[in-house]
Amino acid sequence: MSELLDLAQAAVEAAQAAGADCCDAYCSDSTEVSVEVENSSINYCATVRDQGLSVRAYRNGGQGFATVQQLSLESARECARRAVEMAKAAHPDPDFVRLPDPGEVEEVPELFDEELAGLDAGAFVQWCARGIEEAHAVADDAIVQGGAGVGWGDSALASSTGIAVARRGSSAGISFFVIVNRDGDVGTYFEQDMARRLADLEPEGIGEQAARDALDQLSSRPVPTARVPIILGPLATMTLVGSVIGAADADGVQRNRRWLAGREGEEIASRLLTVREEPLVPAGLRSSEYDGEGVPREPRRLIDAGVLTTYLHNSYTAHKADVEPTGHASRSGYSSSVGIGPSNLQVVPGEKTEAELISGVDEGIYAAYAGIAPNSVTGEVSTTIDFGFRIENGELTTPLSTTLIGSTGEELLGGIDGISSDYREEPGIILPSMRIASVQVASEG
Amino acid sequence: MRELIDDILSEATKRGADFADLRVTEGEGTSVAVEDGQADRIASSKISGAGLRVLVDGSWGFAPTNTVTRRELRRCLDDALAMARAASDHVTDPGMVAEMEPVEATVEAEAQIDPRDVSLADRVQRIFEIEQVARERDDRVVNCNASYRDGAGSLIVANTFGTFIEQEAIRCAVTLMTTAQSGNVRQFAHESEARPGGYEIIEGIDPDEWAGSVADRALALLDAVPAPAGKFDVIIDPRVCGLLVHEAFGHNAEADAVWAGESILAGKEGTQVCSELVTIADDPTIEGCNGSFRYDHEGVPARRHEIIQDGVLEGYLHSLETAARMGLEPNGCARAQNHQNEPIVRMSNTFIEAGDEALEEMMAETDGGLLLKGGYWGYVFTARGQFTCNVENAWTIENGEPAQHLRNASFAGLTLEMLSRVDMVGDEVSFDLGGMCGKGGQRMAVDAGGPYLRIRDVVVGGQQQTGRGE
């Protein structure tokens, strides 16, 4: 890791020498090993090593950004010079003040698991072979797709303001998508598991669960076009909540292209909804001690009893709004510039179980998986319930075919009248189900 | 480079590979972002690397590198062979490739003006002017975001059949998103021009007309009302037609989905699968489209593919592997996002052929229906054939004319049922959906289009309950 940090610092020095007012450099060296399953057969194995570096340089507030897919002193310096050349061509930006100063960073434990990083492809092949067997034990005509993989790597960030941080991380995932086709009646579903530590990953049962859920999707039917209550399962909750928090990014808000502009400190949802961000959970999927600019992250309530407590800031938007950075600068790798995004999201569970929420619905919809994500600009949503069930007399009955909803973020969030006490948990992430009082549904029924 | 590539492929064969291919790429690009009157984010990228794929006893292994040296390519070969052998005991459906005659070719970039010959200051100024037109269109325009990007590079494709193709490529693109606001209503419109070619693409844009129309579309949506929910007869424009043919249908015609049991078209070759008014093709040889190319990334020459002829399924889009599995000739449809990904089956420029109806006639016969224009996004679950398409605009149709302007509409259904309910096909095709398609974690340049279509009994997901099906 120290070599990567040395390289990042060399790039910073080169950018300063080339005329940058301030700058930062990020580099990473990662490896990913994956196994792919197609048509119920192990089909393909790959090992992908990716190395690269990027430099962000500023002149009079104008930003130049440059990337290179090499990790050498020569390429780092060349990349730095290019970034400064870009910055010189950019318009001045008076809203840019400076990059963040170093802060106290407390290490989050267990973001890297040596045992997991040391696995060879044979282990993933075994996981996948077992997943196929599990699915076939449930339905011998099941067609299984999916795969498994592990990634690990090092990254380093240095800046002209003195930030010099490095970290090592690992992750693993397994997923199966199962298809059952009975004379043209097709049921499909998926299941997955992800973790940063081998001990947290549970490959067993993924293929079996996906196959059982696929069978449950057979004989799907339309429902009546009507306004009805909708219960979002944990994965549908994740999509809705994730998109709402995504629309609270301060850059989009400040530039007037977010539907949550002007809503900070206001009630945007039912008082039942509280969303915590917990970036420091040991081994959390999206945990990190510092953000993409090196600003320390900290836990906070992003939505507290329905109130949007804060926008998500990086250093640029924080200075523009005259507030402290909130630690939400994001980098998805060396090849992309700095954006804004949250870490681990946890929806605070409610009092009734999911089953109790369902039992209280005479006629409605259960959305197991659906892209119910209000558009980040308009706040409107018109989309399909991809996998779900009709609710009749308090019970899940037939799976859905061609069923859409039309709504707005305002209506969906304001209409939450129940959050389940039971939930799906991934490392660092908590996803209960939620009930929305009334939503317009369209179908062929 | 040729000697190095030949040596690595030769060694792959000696070490047990039944087939191997190597793609070596190098390129550079520039992007400019202009937002709210400031070109304050400019980026430069350099990419380089190679991806090596081997097939050993029916098992595939793949390993890329960002550093193209003999040592690194040999490391890739070690890794790719190890990967293939790691899985070989569990391969129940062995991989294979279709034999092909070796191709040797050199392809030069088709660009009149190399963007690298245009000063960065001039490129910035041009995008600034485009953004400025939209920004100054109306006080209700609250945000404009224009971005420009160019890329130039080379790609070598070589394999153990003896194929060696070196392709140069230049691409330019500009996109514009304009947001307008009135009270609590905030709406946006988006447009892009993207295709293989040089800076002449950018110079060919009339900022007043092009950027002005994007702003006008966003402004017009401020007065639209939320769309109704229910079942309607709809007329879709060429852009929505492109979205439908690409998302709902095209992904089902990719032969990797067919082989994997994920396509509703499996086993239906030669049968009537939809309305006889529908003819669908995919053609990477069309000049000026975003998905055009000369050779795919397995070294197979590009050619037109007939997929549906008068409602009858004619064939699929193939890679070397899927062609071998089905005992057919490869037809040049495998592409990879970059050297870090393996080639997979992709569409290019996918479209429905023209029919013989004038739009006016279609509108006149669709009273009470909806006109849907401007495709935003779409996706499909191919195994079920269930798709969703989201559109920018809709109008009610009254007395043969667009009447009430509507917003926030999607439509969905089962692909083949939907295409079976096409009963009017417009007389003019246009390609208007150039963009990037995501599949298997890879993004690829594609295009899509078609004529106006009328489709009966379509479920539209809106916010007001006024459609049939109440």
Side-chain angles (χ1 to χ4, degrees), chain B residues 252-253 255 258 265-269 313-318 326 331:
Chain B
N252 280 289
V258 176
L265 298 178
K268 293 191 168 75
E269 302 94 312
L313 180 63
E314 297 285 317
Y316 308 117
L317 307 177
H318 285 289
M326 298 186 191
N331 58 14

Side-chain angles (χ1 to χ4, degrees), chain A residues 210-225:
Chain A
R212 291 193 186 286
D213 291 342
L215 287 175
D216 286 345
Q217 291 293 320
L218 288 169
S219 304
S220 61
R221 297 281 181 274
V223 295
T225 294

Side-chain angles (χ1 to χ4, degrees), chain B residues 115-135:
Chain B
R116 294 168 294 188
D117 294 336
V118 181
S119 76
L120 188 52
D122 285 351
R123 283 178 277 178
V124 168
Q125 181 60 27
R126 181 69 174 168
I127 306 309
F128 178 81
E129 288 168 4
I130 287 172
E131 189 266 355
Q132 186 178 27
V133 168
R135 175 166 36 90

